[in-house]
């Protein structure tokens, strides 16, 4: 059994603020150093759960910010680490090599979700993303990409809002709730040691039953709303895209992997100023 693990940081137990997940601002260095350790701990808990379920190969993809957060020296020795960027498939780089299931650990709710820790979709400039008319965040877009390669998402861990988002989208997915938001920057969380136990057990249980991939329609259409029109001005440079509104860009393709590429190009171009 081959297992793919994508690890983000906002949904790790105890995390409530960007200062704890910011790898670049020197003022955040001390906080960040503690929380990347907790992130590595939850990644390892997922590896342990996968091994308990009979995994023979485990790939862990660092999926947060510059994607150099997980501590290699602390990684479970049964796993391989995919670190750094840019990566063509970003949070799911390598998924195309073929896996029996994917696990999304430390994930967060999509932009605009009420009572969700650090809700966002890739970056602040993205206000909403719709796939075939349905609002989606990183859980949904990445699940659709995994589905395009025939890989089901078996487990999603994060706060309660993330779990609800995942369950609404993915039939039979196992969700592991490690915290509940009080506001965007406050939460009631289980202790990290408890979170690791919940993740390990949740993964082992989930991998004992079959899961079906989310199959994106063909053709599919993605629409992205940005905050400012100049961001859409840049994004619409993607060949084949259209501009249905002042801050909105749209792209349609029969091949979901091409559509995902356009989405990656949209938000990276929108960063230009
Ligand atoms: Zn992140």
């Amino acid at each position: 059994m081959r297992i793919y693990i994508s690890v983000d940081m906002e949904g790790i137990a105890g995390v409530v603020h960007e200062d704890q997940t910011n790898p670049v601002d020197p003022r955040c260095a001390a906080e960040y150093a503690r929380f990347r350790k907790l992130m590595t701990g939850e990644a390892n808990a997922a590896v342990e759960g996968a091994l308990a379920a009979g995994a023979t190969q485990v790939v862990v993809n660092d999926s947060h910010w510059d994607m150099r957060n997980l501590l290699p020296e602390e990684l479970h020795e049964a796993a391989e680490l995919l670190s750094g960027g840019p990566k063509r498939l970003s949070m799911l780089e390598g998924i195309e090599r073929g896996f029996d299931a994917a696990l999304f650990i430390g994930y967060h709710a999509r932009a605009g979700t009420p009572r969700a820790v650090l809700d966002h979709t890739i970056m602040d400039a993205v206000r909403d993303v719709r796939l075939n008319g349905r609002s989606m965040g990183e859980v949904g877009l990445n699940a659709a990409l995994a589905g395009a390669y025939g890989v089901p998402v078996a487990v999603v861990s994060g706060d309660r809002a993330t779990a609800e988002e995942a369950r609404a989208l993915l039939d039979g997915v196992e969700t592991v709730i490690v915290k509940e938001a009080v506001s965007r920057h406050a939460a009631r969380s289980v202790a990290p040691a408890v979170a690791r136990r919940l993740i390990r057990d949740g993964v082992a249980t989930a991998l004992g039953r079959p899961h079906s991939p989310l199959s994106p329609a063909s053709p599919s259409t993605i629409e992205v709303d940005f905050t400012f029109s100049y961001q859409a001005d840049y994004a619409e440079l993607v060949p084949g895209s259209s501009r249905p509104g002042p801050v909105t860009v749209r792209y349609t393709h029969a091949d979901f992997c091409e559509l995902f590429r356009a989405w990656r190009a949209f938000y990276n171009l929108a960063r230009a100023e």
Side-chain angles (χ1 to χ4, degrees), residues 8-10 21 63-65 91 106 108 120 138:
D8 204 350
M9 197 168 188
E10 290 83 356
T21 65
S63 298
H64 173 71
W65 210 304
M91 300 173 81
H108 52 81
H120 68 282
E138 295 171 27

Side-chain angles (χ1 to χ4, degrees), residues 117-258:
V117 176
L118 297 169
D119 64 296
H120 68 282
T121 302
I122 301 292
M123 60 190 208
D124 290 347
V126 174
R127 301 299 287 271
D128 189 28
V129 182
R130 291 172 299 283
L131 181 62
N132 301 320
R134 183 173 188 179
S135 284
M136 285 199 189
E138 295 171 27
V139 169
L141 295 165
N142 287 331
L145 180 64
Y149 286 105
V151 182
V153 178
V155 177
V156 176
S157 81
D159 70 359
R160 180 174 295 282
T162 308
E164 284 167 5
E165 184 176 317
R167 281 198 296 263
L169 209 61
L170 307 167
D171 282 340
V173 71
E174 181 89 12
T175 54
V176 179
I177 299 171
V178 301
K179 58 190 171 185
E180 180 157 359
V182 172
S183 68
R184 190 173 193 272
H185 288 148
R188 208 174 66 234
S189 177
V190 300
V194 174
R196 292 193 286 267
R197 207 153 57 227
L198 292 172
I199 289 168
R200 190 183 60 223
D201 294 349
V203 168
T205 305
L207 292 179
R209 61 175 192 267
H211 297 267
S212 10
L214 188 71
S215 296
S218 177
S220 278
T221 295
I222 192 167
E223 286 180 318
V224 182
D225 296 341
F226 289 100
T227 306
F228 298 112
S229 57
Y230 80 85
Q231 292 158 338
D233 292 342
Y234 279 109
E236 75 168 344
L237 294 173
V238 171
S241 66
S242 61
R243 181 83 176 262
V247 296
T248 305
V249 289
R250 178 191 289 157
Y251 188 88
T252 299
H253 207 284
D255 179 350
F256 189 81
C257 305
E258 285 299 301

